[in-house]
Amino acid sequence: MRVLVAGSSGLIGSALRSRLRELGHDVVRLVRRAPSAPDERGWHPPSGRIDENAFDGVDAVVNLCGASLASGRWSAARKQVLHDSRIEPTEVLAEAVAEHGVPVLISASGINYYGDTGDREVDESAPVGHGFLPLLCAEWEAACAPASRAGSRVVFLRTAPVFTWRGGMLAQVRPLFQLGLGGALGTGRQYLPWISLTDMVEVIVFCLDNADVSGPVNVASPRPVTNAEFTKAVGRALRRPTPWRVPGAPLRLLLGEAADEMLLAGPRAVPGVLLRHGFPYAVEDLDQALSPVP
Protein backbone atom coordinates (compact mmCIF):
# COMPACT_ATOMS: atom_id res chain seq x y z
CA MET A 1 0.00 0.00 0.00
CA ARG A 2 0.95 3.64 -0.34
CA VAL A 3 0.13 5.34 2.95
CA LEU A 4 0.13 9.10 3.43
CA VAL A 5 0.93 10.03 7.04
CA ALA A 6 0.32 13.41 8.68
CA GLY A 7 2.07 13.82 12.03
CA SER A 8 4.83 11.38 11.09
CA SER A 9 7.58 13.05 13.15
CA GLY A 10 6.05 12.46 16.59
CA LEU A 11 6.50 9.50 18.92
CA ILE A 12 3.76 7.42 17.31
CA GLY A 13 4.30 8.66 13.77
CA SER A 14 8.02 7.85 13.80
CA ALA A 15 7.39 4.31 15.04
CA LEU A 16 4.53 3.85 12.56
CA ARG A 17 6.44 4.85 9.46
CA SER A 18 9.31 2.51 10.41
CA ARG A 19 6.88 -0.37 10.92
CA LEU A 20 5.01 0.29 7.67
CA ARG A 21 8.24 0.31 5.70
CA GLU A 22 9.36 -2.85 7.45
CA LEU A 23 6.13 -4.47 6.19
CA GLY A 24 6.87 -3.34 2.64
CA HIS A 25 4.48 -0.39 2.41
CA ASP A 26 5.35 2.89 0.71
CA VAL A 27 5.11 5.80 3.19
CA VAL A 28 4.60 9.40 2.12
CA ARG A 29 5.02 12.06 4.80
CA LEU A 30 3.12 15.34 4.96
CA VAL A 31 5.39 18.07 6.37
CA ARG A 32 4.68 21.72 7.14
CA ARG A 33 8.12 22.91 6.04
CA ALA A 34 9.64 22.79 2.60
CA PRO A 35 9.99 19.11 1.60
CA SER A 36 13.62 17.97 1.74
CA ALA A 37 13.37 14.24 1.01
CA PRO A 38 11.80 12.14 -1.76
CA ASP A 39 9.12 10.77 0.59
CA GLU A 40 7.97 14.22 1.78
CA ARG A 41 5.11 16.38 0.51
CA GLY A 42 4.35 19.86 1.80
CA TRP A 43 1.11 21.15 3.26
CA HIS A 44 -0.21 24.16 5.14
CA PRO A 45 -3.44 23.34 7.01
CA PRO A 46 -4.42 26.96 7.89
CA SER A 47 -4.64 27.80 4.18
CA GLY A 48 -5.85 24.35 3.13
CA ARG A 49 -2.87 23.91 0.80
CA ILE A 50 -1.45 20.47 0.02
CA ASP A 51 1.14 19.71 -2.66
CA GLU A 52 -0.61 18.66 -5.87
CA ASN A 53 1.10 15.27 -6.09
CA ALA A 54 0.69 14.36 -2.42
CA PHE A 55 -2.21 11.98 -3.09
CA ASP A 56 -0.82 10.30 -6.22
CA GLY A 57 -1.42 6.57 -5.85
CA VAL A 58 -2.34 6.87 -2.16
CA ASP A 59 -4.37 3.94 -0.76
CA ALA A 60 -4.84 5.24 2.79
CA VAL A 61 -4.29 8.34 4.90
CA VAL A 62 -3.26 8.25 8.57
CA ASN A 63 -3.83 11.48 10.49
CA LEU A 64 -1.90 11.79 13.77
CA CYS A 65 -1.97 15.60 14.09
CA GLY A 66 -2.57 17.30 17.43
CA ALA A 67 -0.67 19.40 19.97
CA SER A 68 0.21 17.78 23.30
CA LEU A 69 -2.47 17.93 25.97
CA ALA A 70 0.14 17.73 28.73
CA SER A 71 1.21 21.33 28.50
CA GLY A 72 0.35 22.82 31.86
CA ARG A 73 -2.66 24.94 32.66
CA TRP A 74 -5.25 25.30 29.92
CA SER A 75 -5.59 29.01 29.26
CA ALA A 76 -8.09 30.17 26.65
CA ALA A 77 -5.22 30.58 24.22
CA ARG A 78 -3.89 27.08 24.93
CA LYS A 79 -7.34 25.57 24.46
CA GLN A 80 -7.53 27.25 21.08
CA VAL A 81 -4.18 25.71 20.12
CA LEU A 82 -5.39 22.27 21.21
CA HIS A 83 -8.54 22.75 19.17
CA ASP A 84 -7.00 24.20 16.02
CA SER A 85 -4.11 21.69 15.91
CA ARG A 86 -6.68 18.89 15.68
CA ILE A 87 -9.74 20.18 13.88
CA GLU A 88 -8.09 22.25 11.15
CA PRO A 89 -5.71 19.56 9.78
CA THR A 90 -8.41 16.89 10.02
CA GLU A 91 -10.89 18.98 8.03
CA VAL A 92 -8.27 19.62 5.34
CA LEU A 93 -7.31 15.95 5.11
CA ALA A 94 -10.91 14.69 5.11
CA GLU A 95 -11.82 17.04 2.26
CA ALA A 96 -8.72 15.96 0.31
CA VAL A 97 -9.52 12.28 0.90
CA ALA A 98 -13.00 12.89 -0.48
CA GLU A 99 -11.70 14.86 -3.45
CA HIS A 100 -9.10 12.28 -4.43
CA GLY A 101 -11.22 9.21 -3.69
CA VAL A 102 -8.83 7.72 -1.12
CA PRO A 103 -10.47 4.53 0.18
CA VAL A 104 -9.32 4.76 3.83
CA LEU A 105 -8.85 7.50 6.42
CA ILE A 106 -7.53 6.57 9.86
CA SER A 107 -7.70 9.59 12.12
CA ALA A 108 -6.56 10.24 15.66
CA SER A 109 -9.03 10.90 18.45
CA GLY A 110 -8.78 10.39 22.21
CA ILE A 111 -9.95 8.01 24.91
CA ASN A 112 -11.06 11.16 26.76
CA TYR A 113 -14.11 11.08 24.48
CA TYR A 114 -15.98 9.36 27.34
CA GLY A 115 -15.01 11.79 30.09
CA ASP A 116 -14.98 10.48 33.66
CA THR A 117 -16.86 7.18 33.95
CA GLY A 118 -15.82 6.24 37.49
CA ASP A 119 -16.02 2.46 37.94
CA ARG A 120 -18.38 2.08 34.96
CA GLU A 121 -16.75 0.17 32.12
CA VAL A 122 -17.34 1.64 28.67
CA ASP A 123 -16.67 0.54 25.11
CA GLU A 124 -17.15 2.29 21.77
CA SER A 125 -20.95 2.23 22.13
CA ALA A 126 -20.86 4.68 25.07
CA PRO A 127 -21.95 8.29 24.50
CA VAL A 128 -19.68 11.30 24.58
CA GLY A 129 -18.89 12.60 28.07
CA HIS A 130 -18.92 16.08 29.55
CA GLY A 131 -16.11 18.61 29.57
CA PHE A 132 -13.59 20.22 27.28
CA LEU A 133 -11.79 17.05 26.16
CA PRO A 134 -14.89 14.95 25.34
CA LEU A 135 -16.35 17.76 23.25
CA LEU A 136 -12.99 18.31 21.56
CA CYS A 137 -12.78 14.62 20.65
CA ALA A 138 -16.34 14.65 19.32
CA GLU A 139 -15.60 17.67 17.12
CA TRP A 140 -12.33 16.06 16.02
CA GLU A 141 -14.18 13.00 14.79
CA ALA A 142 -16.93 15.08 13.18
CA ALA A 143 -14.25 16.84 11.11
CA CYS A 144 -13.86 13.57 9.15
CA ALA A 145 -17.42 13.86 7.79
CA PRO A 146 -16.41 14.82 4.21
CA ALA A 147 -14.48 11.56 3.85
CA SER A 148 -17.35 9.50 5.29
CA ARG A 149 -19.88 11.15 2.99
CA ALA A 150 -17.64 10.39 0.00
CA GLY A 151 -17.70 6.69 0.88
CA SER A 152 -14.24 6.29 2.42
CA ARG A 153 -13.79 3.86 5.28
CA VAL A 154 -13.06 6.08 8.28
CA VAL A 155 -11.57 4.87 11.57
CA PHE A 156 -11.37 7.04 14.70
CA LEU A 157 -8.47 6.04 16.95
CA ARG A 158 -9.68 6.82 20.47
CA THR A 159 -6.20 6.50 21.86
CA ALA A 160 -5.24 6.02 25.50
CA PRO A 161 -1.92 7.33 26.86
CA VAL A 162 0.85 5.50 25.02
CA PHE A 163 3.36 3.87 27.35
CA THR A 164 7.02 3.84 26.39
CA TRP A 165 10.05 5.13 28.25
CA ARG A 166 11.12 6.82 25.00
CA GLY A 167 8.61 9.63 25.44
CA GLY A 168 5.08 10.62 26.35
CA MET A 169 3.63 10.18 29.83
CA LEU A 170 6.27 7.80 31.20
CA ALA A 171 9.14 10.07 30.20
CA GLN A 172 7.37 12.98 31.90
CA VAL A 173 6.80 11.24 35.25
CA ARG A 174 10.09 9.33 35.38
CA PRO A 175 12.21 12.12 36.97
CA LEU A 176 9.74 12.54 39.85
CA PHE A 177 9.61 8.81 40.55
CA GLN A 178 13.39 8.49 40.39
CA LEU A 179 13.61 11.18 43.07
CA GLY A 180 11.24 9.16 45.24
CA LEU A 181 8.45 11.71 44.76
CA GLY A 182 6.02 9.49 42.85
CA GLY A 183 2.58 9.18 44.37
CA ALA A 184 -1.05 8.50 43.60
CA LEU A 185 -3.08 11.52 42.52
CA GLY A 186 -6.25 12.50 44.35
CA THR A 187 -8.10 9.39 45.51
CA GLY A 188 -6.02 7.18 43.21
CA ARG A 189 -9.22 5.32 42.29
CA GLN A 190 -9.68 7.06 38.93
CA TYR A 191 -9.05 4.82 35.94
CA LEU A 192 -6.14 5.21 33.55
CA PRO A 193 -6.53 3.38 30.25
CA TRP A 194 -3.20 2.81 28.49
CA ILE A 195 -1.59 1.17 25.45
CA SER A 196 1.99 0.13 24.73
CA LEU A 197 3.75 1.85 21.84
CA THR A 198 4.18 -1.54 20.16
CA ASP A 199 0.45 -2.24 20.24
CA MET A 200 -0.40 1.36 19.30
CA VAL A 201 1.46 0.95 16.02
CA GLU A 202 0.09 -2.53 15.40
CA VAL A 203 -3.48 -1.28 15.93
CA ILE A 204 -3.01 1.21 13.10
CA VAL A 205 -1.60 -1.52 10.85
CA PHE A 206 -4.52 -3.76 11.87
CA CYS A 207 -7.02 -1.07 10.94
CA LEU A 208 -5.31 -0.53 7.58
CA ASP A 209 -5.46 -4.24 6.81
CA ASN A 210 -9.01 -5.00 8.00
CA ALA A 211 -11.73 -3.63 5.75
CA ASP A 212 -14.46 -4.51 8.26
CA VAL A 213 -13.07 -2.16 10.92
CA SER A 214 -14.58 1.32 10.81
CA GLY A 215 -15.87 4.02 13.13
CA PRO A 216 -14.54 4.46 16.68
CA VAL A 217 -11.85 2.11 17.97
CA ASN A 218 -10.68 2.27 21.59
CA VAL A 219 -6.90 1.98 21.33
CA ALA A 220 -6.27 0.71 24.84
CA SER A 221 -5.13 -2.36 26.71
CA PRO A 222 -7.90 -4.76 27.76
CA ARG A 223 -6.68 -4.18 31.33
CA PRO A 224 -7.16 -0.54 32.37
CA VAL A 225 -5.68 0.28 35.76
CA THR A 226 -6.39 2.81 38.46
CA ASN A 227 -4.04 5.70 39.09
CA ALA A 228 -2.93 4.02 42.33
CA GLU A 229 -2.11 0.78 40.47
CA PHE A 230 -0.19 2.72 37.84
CA THR A 231 1.79 4.53 40.55
CA LYS A 232 2.79 1.27 42.24
CA ALA A 233 3.76 -0.32 38.92
CA VAL A 234 6.02 2.60 37.94
CA GLY A 235 7.59 2.46 41.40
CA ARG A 236 8.31 -1.25 40.96
CA ALA A 237 9.79 -0.70 37.51
CA LEU A 238 12.09 2.09 38.73
CA ARG A 239 12.76 0.43 42.11
CA ARG A 240 11.59 3.48 44.00
CA PRO A 241 9.12 3.81 46.89
CA THR A 242 5.76 5.45 46.17
CA PRO A 243 4.40 6.32 49.62
CA TRP A 244 2.95 9.68 48.69
CA ARG A 245 -0.55 10.76 47.81
CA VAL A 246 -1.01 14.11 46.10
CA PRO A 247 -4.30 15.78 47.08
CA GLY A 248 -6.52 17.08 44.34
CA ALA A 249 -6.65 20.66 45.64
CA PRO A 250 -3.05 21.66 44.84
CA LEU A 251 -3.28 19.97 41.43
CA ARG A 252 -6.40 21.99 40.65
CA LEU A 253 -4.69 25.15 41.88
CA LEU A 254 -1.71 24.48 39.63
CA LEU A 255 -3.41 23.08 36.52
CA GLY A 256 -7.06 24.11 36.82
CA GLU A 257 -9.40 22.34 34.42
CA ALA A 258 -6.60 20.15 33.07
CA ALA A 259 -6.18 18.52 36.49
CA ASP A 260 -9.84 17.52 36.68
CA GLU A 261 -10.02 16.15 33.14
CA MET A 262 -6.62 14.48 32.80
CA LEU A 263 -5.28 13.59 36.25
CA LEU A 264 -8.10 13.29 38.78
CA ALA A 265 -10.65 11.55 36.56
CA GLY A 266 -10.72 9.16 33.64
CA PRO A 267 -12.72 6.58 31.71
CA ARG A 268 -12.67 2.89 32.48
CA ALA A 269 -12.50 2.24 28.76
CA VAL A 270 -12.05 -1.18 27.18
CA PRO A 271 -11.23 -2.02 23.53
CA GLY A 272 -14.49 -3.62 22.49
CA VAL A 273 -13.89 -3.40 18.74
CA LEU A 274 -10.35 -4.76 18.88
CA LEU A 275 -11.36 -7.65 21.12
CA ARG A 276 -14.30 -8.58 18.85
CA HIS A 277 -12.00 -8.55 15.82
CA GLY A 278 -9.35 -10.65 17.55
CA PHE A 279 -6.55 -8.09 17.67
CA PRO A 280 -3.43 -9.93 18.92
CA TYR A 281 -2.09 -7.80 21.77
CA ALA A 282 1.65 -8.05 22.33
CA VAL A 283 1.46 -6.29 25.71
CA GLU A 284 -1.59 -6.67 27.96
CA ASP A 285 0.00 -6.46 31.42
CA LEU A 286 1.15 -3.11 32.82
CA ASP A 287 4.30 -4.52 34.42
CA GLN A 288 5.23 -5.96 31.02
CA ALA A 289 4.67 -2.56 29.41
CA LEU A 290 7.02 -0.91 31.91
CA SER A 291 9.83 -3.45 31.51
CA PRO A 292 12.66 -3.25 30.79
CA VAL A 293 13.57 0.25 31.90
CA PRO A 294 16.32 1.67 29.66
Side-chain angles (χ1 to χ4, degrees):
M1 299 174 67
R2 169 168 275 202
V3 184
L4 183 69
V5 182
S8 64
S9 61
L11 180 69
I12 299 169
S14 298
L16 174 64
R17 70 174 191 264
S18 295
R19 179 59 175 151
L20 289 175
R21 285 170 176 155
E22 179 183 306
L23 292 170
H25 300 301
D26 182 17
V27 179
V28 180
R29 304 173 58 197
L30 280 181
V31 297
R32 303 193 192 203
R33 49 173 171 74
S36 59
D39 66 340
E40 295 181 349
R41 305 292 185 271
W43 75 319
H44 185 253
S47 67
R49 181 189 62 78
I50 305 179
D51 283 358
E52 289 184 3
N53 62 344
F55 287 85
D56 289 353
V58 168
D59 301 294
V61 172
V62 179
N63 170 31
L64 300 174
C65 295
S68 172
L69 296 171
S71 53
R73 196 177 188 91
W74 291 344
S75 63
R78 184 59 189 172
K79 281 186 175 182
Q80 194 65 50
V81 169
L82 297 176
H83 175 277
D84 292 349
S85 68
R86 287 162 170 76
I87 310 306
E88 195 171 66
T90 302
E91 289 176 339
V92 171
L93 285 173
E95 289 169 1
V97 163
E99 178 185 349
H100 293 276
V102 180
V104 182
L105 170 61
I106 297 178
S107 188
S109 182
I111 206 71
N112 301 100
Y113 178 94
Y114 307 103
D116 181 28
T117 69
D119 289 330
R120 178 171 55 90
E121 190 173 272
V122 293
D123 65 8
E124 292 85 351
S125 65
V128 64
H130 302 283
F132 171 70
L133 288 182
L135 295 180
L136 177 61
C137 289
E139 189 174 355
W140 200 359
E141 295 180 9
C144 293
S148 299
R149 287 195 297 265
S152 298
R153 178 169 65 92
V154 178
V155 178
F156 308 118
L157 302 172
R158 292 180 181 169
T159 304
V162 176
F163 282 0
T164 172
W165 294 110
R166 289 162 45 190
M169 184 176 180
L170 290 183
Q172 290 175 331
V173 303
R174 182 174 184 170
L176 285 175
F177 277 81
Q178 287 182 318
L179 291 172
L181 299 176
L185 306 181
T187 66
R189 295 192 297 271
Q190 66 275 28
Y191 271 86
L192 175 64
W194 60 276
I195 186 79
S196 71
L197 179 60
T198 297
D199 282 327
M200 173 76 241
V201 169
E202 293 302 327
V203 165
I204 298 175
V205 173
F206 187 82
C207 291
L208 285 170
D209 289 342
N210 286 269
D212 55 346
V213 175
S214 64
V217 174
N218 287 348
V219 187
S221 163
R223 301 178 186 176
V225 296
T226 64
N227 178 266
E229 291 169 335
F230 166 76
T231 299
K232 291 178 181 177
V234 174
R236 285 194 299 271
L238 296 176
R239 296 186 176 87
R240 293 291 188 276
T242 56
W244 315 108
R245 186 174 296 277
V246 183
L251 290 173
R252 290 188 180 97
L253 185 63
L254 179 65
L255 297 174
E257 188 179 2
D260 279 314
E261 294 207 24
M262 293 186 62
L263 301 179
L264 300 174
R268 188 178 181 180
V270 294
V273 170
L274 292 177
L275 291 176
R276 287 195 296 273
H277 284 84
F279 175 73
Y281 280 91
V283 182
E284 292 188 29
D285 179 75
L286 181 58
D287 286 322
Q288 181 187 1
L290 301 180
S291 179
V293 179

